[in-house]
Amino acid sequence: MDLRPYYDTLRATSLLQNMRDDELDNMMQCFRPRVRRYQKGEFLLLAGYENHEVGIVLEGSITAFKNTPDGASVAITHMGPAGLFGDVLSGSSLRSPVSVMAETDCLAAYLPYQKIIHPCSHLHESHYQLLQNLVTTISNKYFALDRRVELLICKSLRARICIWLLDEAERAGSNTFSVSLTRAGLAEYLNCDRSALSRELGRMQQEGLLETYRGSFKILDTDRLRAQYQEGKVSHS
């Protein structure tokens, strides 16, 4: 499949960021990526299986989640176009601890990990940049995972909501932002009941901490959010 129409999406990934068209041409010729379409609800990656490819979301959105011993599932992350998955797992011989599912109909491309870490005989300069980008990507994901763990171990739901709001505002560069998550999806991400989430968001609006409508949020008092996050890390709600 000709991926030139998706070059802007590829450039938006941390793996192929800022690469010129001719550099991407070289990369695509060397890697000959596998491309596949998925319908909503199909699995892109199953827990318990090895993975040796780096996946890139070209269209649609996906959710990565981990099953718990009691049969429930906890959402790890949601990704849209330019999202990378499998990049941390593909260099390991261990089986994947997470599954990845199509949240909507989506299109994904897969780069073989072995071809990423072993430059071809042409020794393209862009390939060395790719290796540096891979290391940076994995490092950044480590810190993102650490932040996710910090969210999940918060004792109170209010604290989890606060840290999530603060992180999203930082990512957006604004106290007003929109997310693609539904209320049910956000409840799953925060590992809580949907009705409990709605009640807590309602209380926070009444207290003047934020405004929210569907997928849009506006933080009204950042300092109070930070204070309530610190307090809720150690106290039960």
Side-chain angles (χ1 to χ4, degrees):
M1 178 177 177
D2 183 7
L3 291 178
R4 287 187 182 87
Y6 297 97
Y7 274 9
D8 285 343
T9 301
L10 295 176
R11 268 190 287 266
T13 69
S14 56
L15 188 64
L16 298 167
Q17 61 181 341
N18 303 322
M19 288 196 176
R20 303 186 308 269
D21 282 4
D22 62 304
E23 292 175 322
L24 287 174
D25 286 341
N26 289 332
M27 293 291 101
M28 296 306 105
Q29 185 169 353
C30 288
F31 296 144
R32 301 192 181 280
R34 179 171 66 91
V35 181
R36 181 177 168 185
R37 288 193 177 274
Y38 297 87
Q39 294 183 337
K40 179 180 179 180
E42 280 194 273
F43 285 97
L44 289 76
L45 177 64
L46 272 173
Y49 289 83
E50 292 184 14
N51 173 66
H52 302 292
E53 296 176 308
V54 177
I56 302 175
V57 182
L58 299 176
E59 296 177 6
S61 60
I62 62 173
T63 300
F65 63 90
K66 182 175 177 63
N67 291 322
T68 60
D70 61 2
S73 62
V74 177
I76 304 299
T77 187
H78 299 266
M79 299 180 189
L84 285 177
F85 62 96
D87 44 312
V88 177
L89 301 170
S90 56
S92 171
S93 60
L94 300 178
R95 297 177 180 181
S96 174
V98 301
S99 295
V100 178
M101 178 183 288
E103 192 172 15
T104 66
D105 292 352
C106 66
L107 179 69
Y110 296 88
L111 308 181
Y113 184 81
Q114 287 301 315
K115 289 188 177 181
I116 293 177
I117 63 173
H118 295 108
C120 69
S121 59
H122 297 292
L123 298 177
H124 301 296
E125 182 179 345
S126 55
H127 204 132
Y128 291 103
Q129 181 63 51
L130 177 73
L131 290 172
Q132 182 177 331
N133 290 349
L134 178 64
V135 173
T136 301
T137 296
I138 293 175
S139 298
N140 289 341
K141 285 201 171 182
Y142 168 81
F143 288 105
L145 179 60
D146 180 70
R147 193 66 166 168
R148 179 82 173 104
V149 171
E150 185 177 354
L151 183 152
L152 291 174
I153 64 176
C154 286
K155 299 296 184 181
S156 75
L157 175 57
R158 173 70 66 97
R160 273 175 269 160
I161 295 173
C162 288
I163 190 175
W164 178 78
L165 288 168
L166 292 168
D167 283 351
E168 290 298 319
E170 182 178 358
R171 186 177 293 110
S174 170
N175 280 351
T176 300
F177 56 88
S178 295
V179 296
S180 59
L181 287 172
T182 63
R183 192 56 54 88
L186 179 56
E188 182 182 356
Y189 184 76
L190 296 176
N191 196 27
C192 67
D193 180 75
R194 178 180 176 180
S195 58
L197 173 63
S198 295
R199 285 195 302 270
E200 196 64 35
L201 286 174
R203 293 191 192 105
M204 294 174 76
Q205 287 194 87
Q206 292 173 1
E207 295 170 18
L209 290 168
L210 60 88
E211 293 177 356
T212 179
Y213 179 72
R214 295 184 177 177
S216 297
F217 295 84
K218 181 179 182 180
I219 296 176
L220 301 176
D221 196 328
T222 301
D223 291 339
R224 283 176 64 198
L225 275 186
R226 289 199 179 99
Q228 292 195 6
Y229 159 61
Q230 293 296 332
E231 179 183 349
K233 281 200 302 184
V234 295
S235 63
H236 291 272
S237 61

